[in-house]
Amino acid sequence: MSSDLITLAIPAKPEYVMIARLSSAAVATRIGFDVDQIEDIKMAVAEAIIMIINQLTRPEKLSISFILDPKVIGIEIFGEGDWESSNISTHDLGQAQLGKYILSSMMDSVKFDLDNGTIRAIFMHKDLGV
Amino acid sequence: MSSDLITLAIPAKPEYVMIARLSSAAVATRIGFDVDQIEDIKMAVAEAIIMIINQLTRPEKLSISFILDPKVIGIEIFGEGDWESSNISTHDLGQAQLGKYILSSMMDSVKFDLDNGTIRAIFMHKDLGV
Amino acid sequence: MILDERFDSDTKMWYISLDGEIDIYNAPEFKEKLHQLIQQNPGDFILDCDSLNYIDSTGLGVLISALRRVKEYNGEIKIRNLKPYIYKIFVITGLDKIFTIEVGNREQ
Amino acid sequence: MILDERFDSDTKMWYISLDGEIDIYNAPEFKEKLHQLIQQNPGDFILDCDSLNYIDSTGLGVLISALRRVKEYNGEIKIRNLKPYIYKIFVITGLDKIFTIEVGNREQ
Ligand SMILES: Nc1ncnc2c1ncn2[C@@H]1O[C@H](COP(=O)(O)OP(=O)(O)O)[C@@H](O)[C@H]1O
Ligand SMILES: Nc1ncnc2c1ncn2[C@@H]1O[C@H](COP(=O)(O)OP(=O)(O)O)[C@@H](O)[C@H]1O
């Protein structure tokens, strides 16, 4: 059986991150994750989005794909907009570090798709673990 | 200012309708609709999806677009898959009638995009009304 | 969906508590269950909807289908404790006229 | 975000109750508000997080930024009544070591 795919695209604006978070929770609920795991997935999606938004100088659109298998959720987050590898301040680096700690402890794997040192996409997955 | 666009695509399977419902609620919350209006929008999205799924002989994918303006939400639901205008039973017609009553009372406008008597897409909108 | 079911053999009534959501996903199971109870004991039905949070047209269709069967032996289906926004759906669809809906005994 | 704020001029302490969600959307407003309170009365801070349901890294960044300012006058920020899954985030990020987190006096 092939995976089911759910895709969500939002404008890359802070006010819409909450929608990605709640949609992720709905997807995770459907797969059968428990309350704590759903919290983790919501948080991870939000942090991944924040990381990508912070790297774009002119954020436009965020695409989130959920790849669903019976006991695994795969999530791919991709940002569109302008970015430069040079514009990241130490402030943002501290911020990104917080995000990385959170991501790596909430998900079972996290991969960054780097382009010239800048994160363009983030892939992550979490097992249902039952 | 141009409208913001949010898109969601789900496999056209009953188990995923709930995700469209919860995502719609999140979108409506962000626009500022009140609790009752959010309930209406959730219900309308679900009913529109049910109507489209019931008309497809081999439902594949559902695309839902939310067109956001400061005080209005526009929703477009489009189904992909095979369909024939002949395969609709009276049972389904009764079901569709229930759905139409619900849709038209929950939203401020509802338009059906008909192809040979079959609904392919549904457009609807609701005003914030404040 | 169905939280609890109990048949009272004195009054020949089914007491059913519904909960959560009844939608296109679980409606087929709900339909099978109701039809099974009707076959088991063809009595009247009291549906307590105190914990029912959501029902869509598919779920309403199941109730209509159950009502048709119950009417065949002149039984009835009483619906109790509907939340206001679910009661609204019964009114919109005209189903408040074909089911016996008890309003006002919802304690809160 | 900020449900309630009160400065106790005897103890020179700010009592702040946080609620709902602090995220990338409202963090700028939260930051401005905290900095304003620090300017108004440079005291210690007690943040009651009993009603706080969610905080993301942007919100944590605001707390770090506030702590830096409070440290400048040797003040401290105490965080109280964190929900378990939010406490977990402080531990994951190591922020439980730079804030004074009071655990165990969460009444429920
Ligand atoms: N582990 C960390 N330790 C210290 N600072 C961090 C850490 N992680 C992140 N930071 C960053 O420190 C920033 C707050 O510091 P500061 O430079 O005072 O901000 P601002 O100038 O906006 O007040 C936060 O935005 C945060 O991104
Ligand atoms: N207003 C209505 N009055 C009567 N039946 C309706 C009405 N609206 C819809 N129906 C349809 O009646 C169906 C139930 O009737 P029935 O043919 O007995 O179903 P089944 O054969 O599945 O038991 C529902 O699925 C519903 O779609």
Side-chain angles (χ1 to χ4, degrees):
Chain A
M1 215 185 72
S2 68
S3 313
D4 276 341
L5 177 70
I6 294 180
T7 58
L8 174 72
I10 56 172
K13 298 181 182 174
E15 63 261 45
Y16 295 123
V17 176
M18 170 262 234
I19 291 168
R21 218 162 67 216
L22 296 183
S23 297
S24 306
V27 174
T29 303
R30 186 40 91 217
I31 309 298
F33 285 99
D34 68 28
V35 179
D36 285 341
Q37 291 173 318
I38 292 168
E39 246 355 282
D40 288 355
I41 291 168
K42 267 166 78 173
M43 184 108 208
V45 167
E47 291 303 329
I49 290 176
I50 291 169
M51 248 181 235
I52 291 177
I53 287 183
N54 283 342
Q55 303 220 332
L56 296 170
T57 46
R58 204 164 51 85
E60 282 165 12
K61 186 177 148 182
L62 286 160
S63 301
I64 302 132
S65 303
F66 300 95
I67 301 110
L68 308 181
D69 289 295
K71 296 183 170 207
V72 188
I73 189 171
I75 303 174
E76 183 189 319
I77 296 168
F78 175 77
E80 286 173 42
D82 297 337
W83 73 96
E84 318 165 17
S85 53
S86 53
N87 85 316
I88 298 171
S89 65
T90 44
H91 180 107
D92 287 347
L93 280 178
Q95 196 68 52
Q97 193 52 50
L98 286 178
K100 281 187 185 170
Y101 287 141
I102 295 173
L103 271 191
S104 59
S105 88
M106 300 288 173
M107 300 298 282
D108 291 330
S109 78
V110 184
K111 264 196 301 195
F112 296 95
D113 184 2
L114 295 174
D115 180 344
N116 217 353
T118 319
I119 300 166
R120 281 218 62 188
I122 299 177
F123 305 86
M124 49 201 190
H125 98 273
K126 193 175 182 80
D127 291 315
L128 196 57
V130 276
Chain B
M1 216 186 68
S2 67
S3 314
D4 276 342
L5 177 69
I6 295 181
T7 57
L8 174 72
I10 56 172
K13 298 182 184 174
E15 62 261 46
Y16 296 123
V17 175
M18 171 261 233
I19 291 169
R21 219 162 67 215
L22 297 183
S23 298
S24 306
V27 173
T29 303
R30 184 42 89 217
I31 308 299
F33 285 98
D34 68 28
V35 180
D36 286 340
Q37 291 173 317
I38 292 169
E39 240 3 275
D40 287 356
I41 291 168
K42 267 166 77 172
M43 183 106 207
V45 167
E47 291 303 329
I49 289 176
I50 291 169
M51 246 181 238
I52 291 177
I53 287 184
N54 283 341
Q55 303 222 333
L56 295 171
T57 46
R58 204 163 51 84
E60 282 165 14
K61 187 176 148 183
L62 287 159
S63 301
I64 302 133
S65 302
F66 301 94
I67 302 108
L68 309 180
D69 289 295
K71 297 184 170 206
V72 188
I73 188 170
I75 303 175
E76 184 190 318
I77 296 170
F78 175 77
E80 286 173 41
D82 297 337
W83 74 97
E84 317 164 18
S85 54
S86 53
N87 85 317
I88 298 171
S89 65
T90 46
H91 180 109
D92 288 347
L93 281 177
Q95 195 69 51
Q97 193 51 52
L98 286 178
K100 281 187 184 169
Y101 286 143
I102 295 173
L103 272 191
S104 58
S105 87
M106 300 287 173
M107 301 298 283
D108 291 332
S109 78
V110 184
K111 263 197 300 194
F112 296 95
D113 185 1
L114 295 174
D115 180 342
N116 216 352
T118 318
I119 300 166
R120 282 217 61 188
I122 298 177
F123 306 86
M124 48 200 191
H125 99 274
K126 193 176 181 80
D127 291 315
L128 195 58
V130 277
Chain C
M1 193 175 57
I2 293 187
L3 182 65
D4 195 47
E5 72 215 36
R6 183 173 60 80
F7 184 70
D8 183 325
S9 46
D10 295 334
T11 57
K12 304 257 177 282
M13 293 248 234
W14 276 106
Y15 289 86
I16 315 281
S17 298
L18 301 181
D19 80 331
E21 317 197 319
I22 299 176
D23 71 354
I24 186 175
Y25 180 51
N26 63 14
E29 189 190 336
F30 180 51
K31 180 172 186 170
E32 201 178 323
K33 186 76 196 175
L34 277 186
H35 287 189
Q36 186 192 312
L37 297 180
I38 290 169
Q39 269 204 308
Q40 196 180 319
N41 285 303
D44 290 340
F45 278 73
I46 308 255
L47 301 182
D48 186 334
C49 297
D50 192 47
S51 305
L52 183 69
N53 296 319
Y54 179 77
I55 187 163
D56 68 11
S57 61
T58 324
L60 295 175
V62 172
L63 293 180
I64 295 169
S65 154
L67 184 64
R68 288 206 187 147
R69 293 180 191 222
V70 169
K71 290 264 188 203
E72 282 169 16
Y73 53 81
N74 291 313
E76 68 173 332
I77 296 183
K78 281 190 194 172
I79 297 178
R80 209 170 253 185
N81 293 331
L82 282 174
K83 294 193 171 150
Y85 61 88
I86 299 187
Y87 176 60
K88 184 173 107 178
I89 297 161
F90 277 80
V91 174
I92 287 166
T93 53
L95 297 182
D96 60 326
K97 299 200 185 65
I98 71 162
F99 291 97
T100 311
I101 297 187
E102 298 183 357
V103 202
N105 54 347
R106 190 178 154 77
E107 296 139 72
Q108 41 200 358
Chain D
M1 192 176 57
I2 292 187
L3 182 67
D4 195 47
E5 73 214 38
R6 185 173 59 81
F7 184 70
D8 182 328
S9 46
D10 295 336
T11 57
K12 304 253 178 282
M13 293 247 232
W14 276 106
Y15 289 86
I16 315 281
S17 297
L18 301 181
D19 80 331
E21 318 198 320
I22 299 176
D23 71 352
I24 185 175
Y25 180 51
N26 62 16
E29 189 189 337
F30 180 51
K31 180 172 186 168
E32 202 179 319
K33 185 77 197 174
L34 277 185
H35 287 189
Q36 185 191 311
L37 298 180
I38 291 168
Q39 269 204 307
Q40 194 180 319
N41 285 304
D44 290 339
F45 278 73
I46 309 254
L47 302 181
D48 186 334
C49 297
D50 192 46
S51 306
L52 182 69
N53 296 318
Y54 178 77
I55 187 164
D56 69 11
S57 62
T58 324
L60 295 175
V62 171
L63 294 179
I64 296 169
S65 154
L67 184 64
R68 289 209 186 142
R69 293 178 190 222
V70 169
K71 291 261 187 208
E72 280 168 16
Y73 52 81
N74 291 315
E76 67 173 331
I77 296 183
K78 282 190 194 170
I79 298 178
R80 210 171 253 186
N81 292 332
L82 282 174
K83 294 195 171 151
Y85 61 88
I86 300 186
Y87 176 61
K88 184 173 107 177
I89 298 162
F90 278 81
V91 174
I92 288 166
T93 52
L95 297 181
D96 59 327
K97 301 203 182 61
I98 72 163
F99 291 97
T100 311
I101 298 188
E102 298 183 355
V103 203
N105 55 348
R106 189 178 157 76
E107 295 142 71
Q108 39 200 1

